[in-house]
Amino acid sequence: MPLITEMNLPVLPVENPDFQRDPMPYVDAARQRHPWLARFEQGYIVHGYQAVKDLAFMDDKLVMGLGHVVDFYQVRGTPWARFMLEMLQSHTGPEHARIRASVAQAFTPRRANRVRPAMREVIDGLLDEWSGRDGFDFAEFASYFPIAVLCGVLGVPTTGIPRIRNAIETHMASLTLDHKYYPGFLEAFDLLWDYVDELVRDREASGERDEDALLDALIAARDAGKLSDLELRDMVLVLLIAGYDTSKNMLTLTMYRLLEHPEYWQRCAEDIDFCAKVIEEMLRHSSIATVFRSVVEDFDYQGHRFPRGAMVAFSMPLANRDPAAFPDPMSFDPFRESETRHLAFGRGEHICLGQFLARAQLEEGLHLITRRISNPVLAGDIAWRPFLGAWGLSTLPIRFDVAA
Amino acid sequence: MVKIIYKESDGTEHPTDLEPGVSVMQGALNNGVPSILGECGGQLACGTCLVYVDPAWRDKTGEPEEMEEATLELHADNPHEGKRLSCQIKASDELDGLVVHLPDSQY
């Protein structure tokens, strides 16, 4: 059985700005040499739909690979490294299930639907504030939306968002494996940790309890001995980070895509069910997450031996554009009929906790934005984020008319 | 072994023998039964292992608990009776012969 370390695999230049702008020419060429596996500078990248789907279920062999990220920067022993190695995603099996159970009830489809009115309130408020301008950077606008919704779910004030926004961006940049972000992300983490610690202390001191506030449920779980004090804070931070950087990128990419499809804009304004179709196809066409796993035990898959210690990235954006799974993958078609579901939220034990909340807020956001602004056009140069971690647009300048 | 019979909407049956304790979802995946996806691996996080329990078996499979109920809201527009997430039904001697009907789509 050939070892992947000894195979002559194609290389994907994920750090190249051209790749970040449009990875597909590189991936199409790589696919000619191997249908689903390639190398990148730090490890291996799985880009075939079926392979990502199969391997994502092998949670016992492929654990979350944040240890590779920590070692890339050689910062073991720092508070940031402790967080990376101990947070929810770094656990597996019963420990993972225990920690995840402490928040799972707040993320069911039922709860996501209950949060919809609050989502509408947040986006309406933001549009009141921003739509008076002739135009704005949509990426910046979108960055205030999902995190405000998440603060609502936690039951904490949104006034802290400006304080933590940049720090979350900097923390997330660490996932792109680029030394230029060191040591910035360590400092950003200290700021985030102080913020979360303050949130928890303030809530404890206030004595207030709200049965819908997730922070209160987490404090109660800690008091009942189901979570440690550290796990409570790790979880709040995980949620703030996850809630910030994913939906905002998806919403920005959705706006970008719809600039090319004005025929869908009016329809989104009229019909929220159509928004759901647009969002689902966006999650397929332009998903954002490339996540790291680490092989903890040798295993064989499709005639390949994966050795212990290898770093393997699952690339959802590339897997969702695999022509073997989705015919004509680069065509954006909200009416695509298929039982083959995209991998945007992953599979297996680490499947996205917030997938129903994310879908609901993307649908509600898109619906209200299309109702309140019209004729959006690109008003300047766009810029792409690094590919690894959470891909997307860092800048999307638009101009528009305010709908009557 | 516990016999579970999965029925497709066109009447095709998939009789399957499961070890006691194995979920009806896992049993379907292990035996190539179509329609059941189980995207989250059985932790009530995805709602893609929907089945309709045959009326004759609903007393024995019981009612969904709160988290399952909250997840089943995904399928609120689906008018079928007996909706359950099959990761929450475990094979047992009491369920020997259980009949579950498979949806045409999990989405």
Side-chain angles (χ1 to χ4, degrees):
Chain A
M1 182 92 45
L3 267 168
I4 57 168
T5 47
E6 287 166 9
M7 292 175 72
N8 182 21
L9 292 167
V11 176
L12 290 178
V14 292
E15 65 294 329
N16 181 332
D18 282 338
F19 186 95
Q20 292 159 11
R21 197 160 46 237
D22 181 10
M24 297 325 287
Y26 299 92
V27 179
D28 290 341
R31 211 184 281 119
Q32 301 302 314
R33 290 181 50 201
H34 194 290
W36 53 268
L37 186 65
R39 261 181 217 275
F40 72 113
E41 202 178 335
Q42 279 84 27
Y44 300 86
I45 189 158
V46 186
H47 57 78
Y49 175 87
Q50 192 61 44
V52 170
K53 192 170 153 181
D54 291 341
L55 295 171
F57 275 109
M58 298 170 69
D59 290 306
D60 54 335
K61 306 277 195 304
L62 280 153
V63 302
M64 206 54 81
L66 297 176
H68 287 291
V69 180
V70 170
D71 289 338
F72 174 80
Y73 297 106
Q74 299 185 318
V75 291
R76 290 226 175 215
T78 61
W80 174 83
R82 185 210 60 77
F83 170 74
M84 294 292 272
L85 299 172
E86 292 182 13
M87 67 166 156
L88 171 70
Q89 294 97 313
S90 289
H91 288 279
T92 188
E95 274 293 274
H96 175 267
R98 172 181 63 85
I99 300 171
R100 185 161 169 145
S102 68
V103 291
Q105 282 194 338
F107 293 95
T108 62
R110 174 173 291 166
R111 286 292 283 270
N113 284 336
R114 265 173 55 189
V115 180
R116 281 177 188 265
M119 293 167 180
R120 293 194 278 267
E121 207 173 300
V122 169
I123 198 81
D124 252 336
L126 282 171
L127 284 164
D128 288 344
E129 189 187 330
W130 289 63
S131 65
R133 313 171 192 185
D134 292 339
F136 53 72
D137 177 359
F138 190 87
E140 190 189 348
F141 165 79
S143 76
Y144 287 93
F145 172 43
I147 183 104
V149 171
L150 208 273
C151 285
V153 170
L154 280 167
V156 303
T158 54
T159 46
I161 294 175
R163 183 175 149 198
I164 59 171
R165 254 179 88 249
N166 286 337
I168 297 178
E169 294 269 0
T170 309
H171 163 80
M172 283 303 289
S174 69
L175 294 179
T176 64
L177 301 178
D178 186 331
H179 285 292
K180 77 177 178 209
Y181 297 112
Y182 171 84
F185 60 83
L186 296 180
E187 291 154 21
F189 179 80
D190 291 341
L191 185 152
L192 290 171
W193 190 259
D194 288 345
Y195 174 72
V196 167
D197 187 57
E198 214 174 284
L199 279 183
V200 174
R201 283 172 196 275
D202 285 353
R203 194 69 191 173
E204 286 170 334
S206 77
E208 283 176 57
R209 291 295 175 266
D210 172 354
E211 65 172 35
D212 278 342
L214 180 55
L215 178 57
D216 290 349
L218 284 166
I219 290 172
R222 191 269 322 270
D223 293 345
K226 293 177 187 164
L227 283 180
S228 73
D229 221 29
L230 214 49
E231 286 169 343
L232 157 64
R233 285 163 171 76
D234 285 350
M235 181 55 90
V236 173
L237 189 48
V238 161
L239 295 176
L240 286 171
I241 293 167
Y244 174 76
D245 215 21
T246 49
S247 291
K248 90 167 162 68
N249 292 0
M250 280 311 307
L251 191 60
T252 305
L253 286 167
T254 304
M255 171 54 102
Y256 180 56
R257 186 59 45 201
L258 289 184
L259 292 176
E260 285 174 12
H261 291 278
E263 73 276 20
Y264 295 145
W265 190 265
Q266 187 56 30
R267 197 159 169 184
C268 283
E270 287 161 6
D271 179 5
I272 192 164
D273 291 339
F274 182 69
C275 293
K277 284 189 192 303
V278 167
I279 294 301
E280 213 54 41
E281 173 66 348
M282 274 307 298
L283 289 163
R284 200 242 4 122
H285 181 281
S286 296
S287 55
I288 57 165
T290 296
V291 297
F292 305 123
R293 297 286 187 112
S294 180
V295 179
V296 285
E297 186 187 321
D298 290 13
F299 69 89
D300 299 335
Y301 175 74
Q302 296 281 329
H304 298 58
R305 176 147 302 167
F306 285 71
R308 184 170 193 256
M311 183 205 214
V312 180
F314 296 162
S315 186
M316 310 312 179
L318 304 184
N320 287 340
R321 293 173 171 184
D322 180 351
F326 301 101
D328 194 9
M330 293 313 293
S331 135
F332 175 73
D333 177 9
F335 301 100
R336 202 175 268 272
E337 291 280 342
S338 169
E339 265 300 280
T340 306
R341 175 66 71 96
H342 60 75
L343 300 168
F345 297 113
R347 289 288 191 276
E349 186 178 46
H350 297 291
I351 196 168
C352 176
L353 175 70
Q355 64 165 313
F356 305 113
L357 195 72
R359 281 196 177 95
Q361 68 188 359
L362 289 168
E363 290 164 21
E364 296 290 345
L366 179 58
H367 187 48
L368 275 174
I369 291 164
T370 52
R371 284 172 74 93
R372 295 196 46 185
I373 69 178
S374 54
N375 307 319
V377 290
L378 196 59
D381 292 334
I382 61 167
W384 287 87
R385 296 162 56 98
F387 184 74
L388 299 177
W391 189 40
L393 289 166
S394 55
T395 311
L396 177 62
I398 57 163
R399 272 186 296 108
F400 49 83
D401 299 323
V402 177
Chain B
M1 296 297 255
V2 179
K3 184 162 297 294
I4 308 287
I5 299 159
Y6 301 87
K7 273 194 187 177
E8 294 184 58
S9 61
D10 67 1
T12 309
E13 293 193 6
H14 302 269
T16 307
D17 292 318
L18 304 188
E19 296 278 355
V22 172
S23 75
V24 170
M25 174 212 80
Q26 198 60 50
L29 296 185
N30 294 350
N31 292 284
V33 174
S35 298
I36 292 187
L37 304 177
E39 289 180 356
C40 74
Q43 51 176 338
L44 270 184
C46 70
T48 63
C49 61
L50 178 71
V51 296
Y52 317 126
V53 175
D54 192 84
W57 287 90
R58 286 181 201 159
D59 283 349
K60 287 204 167 127
T61 51
E63 291 296 313
E65 290 184 6
E66 195 187 341
M67 266 292 281
E68 186 184 341
E69 191 87 52
T71 308
L72 275 169
E73 190 158 311
L74 261 187
H75 303 288
D77 294 339
N78 177 332
H80 285 82
E81 299 283 326
K83 286 182 281 188
R84 289 292 309 270
L85 294 176
S86 55
C87 66
Q88 300 303 301
I89 305 174
K90 303 276 194 292
S92 66
D93 291 342
E94 215 197 351
L95 294 180
D96 193 21
L98 171 68
V99 178
V100 295
H101 301 271
L102 299 168
D104 291 329
S105 168
Q106 291 287 343
Y107 302 125

